[in-house]
Amino acid sequence: MSGERPIGVIGVGWVGLVTATCFAELGHQVIAMDIDAKKIRSLNRRKVPIHEPGIDQLLERNAERLTFTTEMEDVLESARLLFCCVDTPPTYSGDADLSRVQAVVGQLADNGDHALIMKSTVPSGTGRAIRRDASDVAYVSCPEFLKEGTAVNDFLHPDRVVIGADAGAEWAADEVEAIYRPLGGEMVRTDVASAEMIKLAANAFLATKISFINEIANVCEEVGADVTEVARGMGLDKRIGPSFLRAGVGYGGSCFPKDVSALKQLAGNTGYHFQLLTAVIEVNELQKRRVIGKLQKHLGALAGKTIALLGLAFKPDTDDIREASSLVLAARLQGEGAKVRGYDPVAEGPAGKLLPTVELSGSAEEALDGAHAAVLVTEWPEFAELDWASMRDRMATPLVVDGRNFLDPKSLRDAGFAYEGIGLTSSDAQAGESAAEAESAEARSR
Ligand SMILES: NC(=O)c1ccc[n+]([C@@H]2O[C@H](COP(=O)([O-])OP(=O)(O)OC[C@H]3O[C@@H](n4cnc5c(N)ncnc54)[C@H](O)[C@@H]3O)[C@@H](O)[C@H]2O)c1
């Protein structure tokens, strides 16, 4: 593809860095820009500033096709297609904060030569507003569906590629389609507003599935059913499918919470009350409170108790803790007067910034030392491989609340733990209790 103009990527976070390195992998020259000078310095030293499997190799393999800069002029001078990958965090009201997108649009030369390809997640109607403000720039919506932890694979093997363009921007949409075509995903060519809506609706649907199975889990606890069995039986129905049916402490991360509330707000701004999403959000918040209830059931008041959070990232294989369940749990536990420790295999750096009042441990063993309970928040494989029998002796109380139904209840029970999962049969939850009951009672009085 030499001789072609390089592809511009603006914003080099999870989406931007994966986009830039994967386009380079496809043989394109790429110029990637970010306002974060530290990030760009790191990338120019070929050091990946995030934890995302596979990016190091892509960066190394395609180094000669990748340029990183902090200067927008460098990008505008050389690239014609500009893939916008800046962050769109939530505002206090729950709307998407589009200030970074607007900052990018404000820098575009109004000369009709450039096309802005929006990969950031934006509310439906954003494209229309941008075209009003920057009428000479061709605008294409191309939302991103990658998942952190498997982002490179997701990008290179998409289920579908959504490309939304309105009249006048078809040339740019055709070029975007040509770039993605070798990846083999189904092409969904549509208008801009529909493309924007596809992304928000997809995330809202997945979040709904999670809140749905969590409510089923809560009912399972009441009726003595096992949610993992229920989910398996449900998921084998092709109309339902098995994914996103794992009960737990609820969804978190940098996308679901903000995208669900952005869609709810978007609907509300038009005068439509999106009742279902209101419930999805509420169920997700309440789900974290159930962990506190499970701890109190065994320990009584949590004031003065030490609780160890195992896993701080919002999911395994990432060091991203934005909007992670660990943040909510730590705050609630501290609100109850508990002392909170945390351990994560890779997220210690970000945790130091976002969880300043949590005592960070260098290992799971260290976090569990003298703790009254372990709460598994992120299903990192190393937690399943822990020598739980020896952890029992380290802890003040042998109590595990498994927020992801990730550990084996039987082996924990055999090791003398009280084990609480989410929506599991009461026999699993109760079997370990007798062994730990005496110590739990003692702990209550400590
Ligand atoms: N992270 C995901 O899993 C994921 C998946 C799909 C879609 N998205 C969406 O993609 C967008 C980006 O998400 P992310 O997780 O990569 O965000 P991120 O915070 O990791 O990265 C955003 C980057 O944009 C940079 N930036 C901000 N303003 C800029 C500007 N004016 N010019 C240049 N760079 C600028 C920031 O410095 C940062 O490096 C969001 O809208 C998000 O909702 C994210």
Side-chain angles (χ1 to χ4, degrees):
M1 316 223 176
S2 57
E4 277 178 19
R5 289 174 73 169
I7 295 172
V9 174
I10 304 164
V12 198
W14 256 275
V15 169
L17 189 53
V18 172
T19 302
T21 51
C22 287
F23 282 165
E25 177 80 356
L26 290 174
H28 299 282
Q29 292 290 330
V30 177
I31 177 162
M33 177 269 174
D34 201 291
I35 50 171
D36 184 340
K38 198 165 150 230
K39 205 172 255 187
I40 294 299
R41 266 199 309 279
S42 165
L43 287 165
N44 276 326
R45 289 198 309 271
R46 302 302 170 212
K47 225 179 147 313
V48 177
I50 53 173
H51 178 90
E52 183 59 49
I55 296 213
D56 303 61
Q57 293 90 321
L58 285 186
L59 189 61
E60 201 182 309
R61 202 161 51 230
N62 300 294
E64 79 288 355
R65 282 193 281 272
L66 284 157
T67 305
F68 294 101
T69 178
T70 52
E71 301 303 321
M72 187 66 150
E73 292 92 82
D74 295 348
V75 183
L76 294 175
E77 252 172 49
S78 54
R80 191 169 185 226
L81 299 183
L82 313 170
F83 285 78
C84 180
C85 306
V86 300
D87 42 326
T88 49
T91 60
Y92 285 116
S93 62
D95 288 296
D97 175 357
L98 296 177
S99 58
R100 292 143 182 89
V101 169
Q102 281 150 2
V104 171
V105 173
Q107 284 176 285
L108 296 183
D110 216 3
N111 58 13
D113 186 35
H114 292 111
L116 186 66
I117 322 300
M118 188 56 66
K119 290 202 81 58
S120 298
T121 304
V122 295
S124 208
T126 305
R128 198 183 314 126
I130 290 176
R131 287 198 312 281
R132 200 177 50 223
D133 297 343
S135 52
D136 280 355
V137 175
Y139 184 89
V140 176
S141 170
C142 179
E144 182 51 59
F145 298 95
L146 62 77
K147 303 179 288 304
E148 290 180 24
T150 53
V152 170
N153 189 57
D154 294 342
F155 193 98
L156 293 174
H157 305 283
D159 294 338
R160 78 309 208 181
V161 177
V162 174
I163 301 174
D166 295 332
E170 287 92 352
W171 67 267
D174 290 345
E175 288 194 26
V176 173
E177 183 171 340
I179 292 170
Y180 275 96
R181 204 174 296 123
L183 301 179
E186 179 125 2
M187 293 289 164
V188 181
R189 287 286 293 260
T190 182
D191 60 280
V192 168
S194 301
E196 292 168 336
M197 196 55 152
I198 287 169
K199 172 65 191 177
L200 288 180
N203 272 3
F205 184 75
L206 295 174
T208 303
K209 250 183 134 178
I210 294 171
S211 279
F212 179 83
I213 200 66
N214 281 337
E215 289 226 276
I216 294 290
N218 299 342
V219 179
C220 281
E221 286 182 7
E222 298 303 320
V223 301
D226 183 329
V227 74
T228 50
E229 294 297 306
V230 175
R232 191 165 71 92
M234 282 172 63
L236 287 168
D237 185 327
K238 289 191 180 62
R239 296 168 302 174
I240 297 173
S243 55
F244 287 79
L245 285 183
R246 284 193 66 162
V249 292
Y251 59 81
S254 65
C255 290
F256 279 10
K258 83 170 171 66
D259 292 349
V260 174
S261 78
L263 179 52
K264 186 190 147 195
Q265 284 299 117
L266 176 69
N269 294 343
T270 68
Y272 181 74
H273 178 48
F274 204 143
Q275 295 187 62
L276 184 57
L277 283 192
T278 306
V280 166
I281 293 166
E282 195 180 310
V283 168
N284 195 53
E285 284 166 4
L286 289 174
Q287 199 63 15
K288 288 164 188 65
R289 266 191 226 159
R290 291 183 72 85
V291 171
I292 310 289
K294 285 172 191 287
L295 289 169
Q296 285 166 333
K297 181 175 132 193
H298 292 267
L299 299 175
L302 298 180
K305 303 284 176 2
T306 299
I307 310 297
L309 301 182
L310 296 184
L312 302 170
F314 84 94
K315 62 190 283 192
D317 263 327
T318 181
D319 60 351
D320 195 349
I321 67 165
R322 290 176 288 182
E323 305 273 338
S325 298
S326 59
L327 303 185
V328 182
L329 284 171
R332 297 239 168 100
L333 288 167
Q334 286 172 337
E336 295 289 327
K339 187 175 159 206
V340 183
R341 285 203 200 127
Y343 165 69
D344 190 282
V346 301
E348 195 175 342
K353 290 186 195 127
L354 292 185
L355 287 165
T357 55
V358 169
E359 185 191 316
L360 297 178
S361 305
S363 67
E365 288 86 348
E366 195 184 313
L368 293 173
D369 224 358
H372 294 90
V375 178
L376 188 136
V377 187
T378 317
E379 59 273 44
W380 284 101
E382 71 169 67
F383 298 142
E385 286 150 23
L386 264 183
D387 178 1
W388 282 100
S390 75
M391 292 309 114
R392 184 189 185 284
D393 299 331
R394 276 178 178 260
M395 292 175 67
T397 325
L399 171 61
V400 171
V401 177
D402 184 354
R404 301 289 175 192
N405 291 345
F406 180 62
L407 304 171
D408 177 21
K410 182 174 179 324
S411 53
L412 278 159
R413 198 167 64 217
D414 291 348
F417 279 90
Y419 173 88
E420 289 274 354
I422 308 287
L424 302 183
T425 47
S426 51
S427 61
D428 276 340
Q430 279 166 6
E433 282 171 24
S434 52
E437 223 155 53
E439 283 166 78
S440 296
E442 190 197 313
R444 254 183 238 123
S445 60
R446 262 180 230 154

